[in-house]
Amino acid sequence: MRAVVMENYGGPEVLEVKDIQEPELQRAHRRIEVTRAGVNFADLHVRDNSYLAGVPLPYVPGNEVAGRLDGERVVALTRGGGYAEVAQARRLTTFSIPDDIDDDTALALTLQGQSAWHLLKTVLRLQSTDTVIVPAAAGGLGSLAVQLAKRTGARVVAMAGTEEKRSLALSLGADVAVDSTSATLASDLKDAAGGGANAALEMTGGETLHATMEALAPLGRMAVYGGVSGVETLVSTRDLMSMGKSIQGFWLPLLYGQRNALNEAMEDLFSAVRSSEIQVPSVTVYPLSAAARAHEDLAARRTTGKVALDPSC
């Protein structure tokens, strides 16, 4: 089968398309013929060996797929192996795609949709009275988080680095959009939040994390789910105590053994799409052979919405 293989850690150039033998099916896993492989920021960290969990080399990256399982349309969360014509996933993390949902939409809801849903509902426990800060609001996760937050009735302060992306966030329901590259980001966020936000998502680290933290109101809470800047960020416990602010980390694989939690989120996401409460921005699809370019574009923030690979080309 054709697959993207990493022989070494490094930049996008280490992603090579090769013909490899299909791996033996693992216990409690299902074989999926892949039609779409999701590309996520986590894959960039896997590639340069900065991910939360290390991987052995050689390695086929990719943690989510859409495809066919015995003729049935499914999406699945995987532990690698997604950038290929054939992948395998545990039964616990494989979900049927409803007839009225297309593969691209279902894929966008699988890893990034699940993450956005659990960040807001499970971690932040967002309420209609809250004001929440959403970073990368035109990206795959952020664009869904904006809409899911508005669905609860919360006020949404979106962050994005270009005028075009801020306009997209506003069109998806954000109440106000802030330039994430601003030299006065903390005060911009605080002003946009009417003096301070009750809740915030954070996935950058470094100065952006500190600015977002500063923009939280007393007793405000933050959910951290990434560190795309690559900067290990320290937070003062004195600052946390003096303002009563809280930070909780989140990593979706922690829920992979909790089928009920995953099912609840998927069913609610499908329902929200069906009722037009959320809209999935157009998915940007690259050929499997262009995996390196997909990584380059994602890292450079040249994409909006979900990014995926097509294993058929």
Side-chain angles (χ1 to χ4, degrees), residues 42-61:
D43 302 343
L44 277 61
H45 292 301
V46 167
R47 192 199 69 225
D48 66 14
N49 200 25
S50 62
Y51 191 51
L52 288 174
V55 300
L57 297 175
Y59 185 76
V60 177

Side-chain angles (χ1 to χ4, degrees), residues 12-13 44 47 291-302:
E13 71 279 356
L44 277 61
R47 192 199 69 225
R293 180 160 56 89
H295 275 220
E296 291 171 353
D297 290 349
L298 185 61
R301 308 296 181 89
R302 288 192 284 264

Side-chain angles (χ1 to χ4, degrees), residues 247-268:
I247 302 176
Q248 181 173 336
F250 177 76
W251 189 37
L252 187 62
L254 295 172
L255 298 178
Y256 283 9
Q258 300 182 34
R259 178 70 183 193
N260 288 342
L262 296 175
N263 266 346
E264 181 185 3
M266 286 304 298
E267 290 174 5
D268 192 42

Side-chain angles (χ1 to χ4, degrees), residues 183-259:
T184 57
L185 181 58
S187 60
D188 293 350
L189 288 172
K190 189 177 291 187
D191 290 344
N198 310 101
L201 302 180
E202 214 297 300
M203 48 80 74
T204 304
E207 291 304 314
T208 300
L209 184 149
H210 286 300
T212 305
M213 193 72 181
E214 186 177 336
L216 284 177
L219 301 179
R221 55 209 190 274
M222 177 189 289
V224 176
Y225 62 99
V228 298
S229 68
V231 177
E232 186 69 25
T233 309
L234 300 179
V235 176
S236 166
T237 54
R238 180 180 293 272
D239 291 343
L240 292 178
M241 290 186 292
S242 64
M243 298 299 289
K245 298 177 183 180
S246 61
I247 302 176
Q248 181 173 336
F250 177 76
W251 189 37
L252 187 62
L254 295 172
L255 298 178
Y256 283 9
Q258 300 182 34
R259 178 70 183 193

Side-chain angles (χ1 to χ4, degrees), residues 9-300:
Y9 299 114
E13 71 279 356
V14 304
L15 302 177
E16 299 183 66
V17 178
K18 298 184 177 182
D19 287 312
I20 64 173
Q21 184 174 353
E22 184 178 326
E24 182 178 346
L25 191 64
Q26 300 178 56
R27 182 177 177 274
H29 283 61
R30 298 179 177 185
R31 180 183 184 275
I32 300 171
E33 296 176 359
V34 179
T35 57
R36 289 285 189 271
V39 179
N40 299 284
F41 270 105
D43 302 343
L44 277 61
H45 292 301
V46 167
R47 192 199 69 225
D48 66 14
N49 200 25
S50 62
Y51 191 51
L52 288 174
V55 300
L57 297 175
Y59 185 76
V60 177
N63 295 321
E64 66 176 339
V65 298
R68 303 292 181 270
L69 194 166
D70 297 330
E72 178 187 5
R73 298 167 58 237
V74 299
V75 284
L77 295 161
T78 68
R79 292 280 197 166
Y83 292 10
E85 292 178 319
V86 175
Q88 51 183 282
R90 296 173 63 200
R91 294 178 175 87
L92 286 172
T93 59
T94 301
F95 311 91
S96 297
I97 302 176
D99 291 340
D100 56 351
I101 303 289
D102 63 78
D103 285 12
D104 283 349
T105 298
L107 183 73
L109 299 177
T110 303
L111 192 151
Q112 292 173 326
Q114 284 261 6
S115 293
W117 194 95
H118 282 290
L119 281 162
L120 296 173
K121 186 177 179 65
T122 306
V123 180
L124 291 179
R125 295 181 172 86
L126 198 69
Q127 304 294 317
S128 61
T129 53
D130 285 330
T131 294
V132 61
I133 296 171
V134 178
L141 191 157
S143 62
L144 296 174
V146 166
Q147 298 175 81
L148 289 169
K150 288 304 298 181
R151 188 173 177 237
T152 70
R155 187 169 186 271
V156 177
V157 176
M159 293 169 58
T162 68
E163 185 62 40
E164 180 183 9
K165 291 183 177 182
R166 291 191 289 275
S167 295
L168 175 58
L170 291 170
S171 74
L172 293 174
D175 295 279
V176 62
V178 171
D179 183 357
S180 58
T181 68
S182 170
T184 57
L185 181 58
S187 60
D188 293 350
L189 288 172
K190 189 177 291 187
D191 290 344
N198 310 101
L201 302 180
E202 214 297 300
M203 48 80 74
T204 304
E207 291 304 314
T208 300
L209 184 149
H210 286 300
T212 305
M213 193 72 181
E214 186 177 336
L216 284 177
L219 301 179
R221 55 209 190 274
M222 177 189 289
V224 176
Y225 62 99
V228 298
S229 68
V231 177
E232 186 69 25
T233 309
L234 300 179
V235 176
S236 166
T237 54
R238 180 180 293 272
D239 291 343
L240 292 178
M241 290 186 292
S242 64
M243 298 299 289
K245 298 177 183 180
S246 61
I247 302 176
Q248 181 173 336
F250 177 76
W251 189 37
L252 187 62
L254 295 172
L255 298 178
Y256 283 9
Q258 300 182 34
R259 178 70 183 193
N260 288 342
L262 296 175
N263 266 346
E264 181 185 3
M266 286 304 298
E267 290 174 5
D268 192 42
L269 289 164
F270 285 144
S271 176
V273 168
R274 195 174 288 118
S275 63
S276 299
E277 292 176 284
I278 62 173
Q279 299 177 4
V280 175
S282 297
V283 176
T284 303
V285 181
Y286 295 76
L288 188 70
S289 57
R293 180 160 56 89
H295 275 220
E296 291 171 353
D297 290 349
L298 185 61

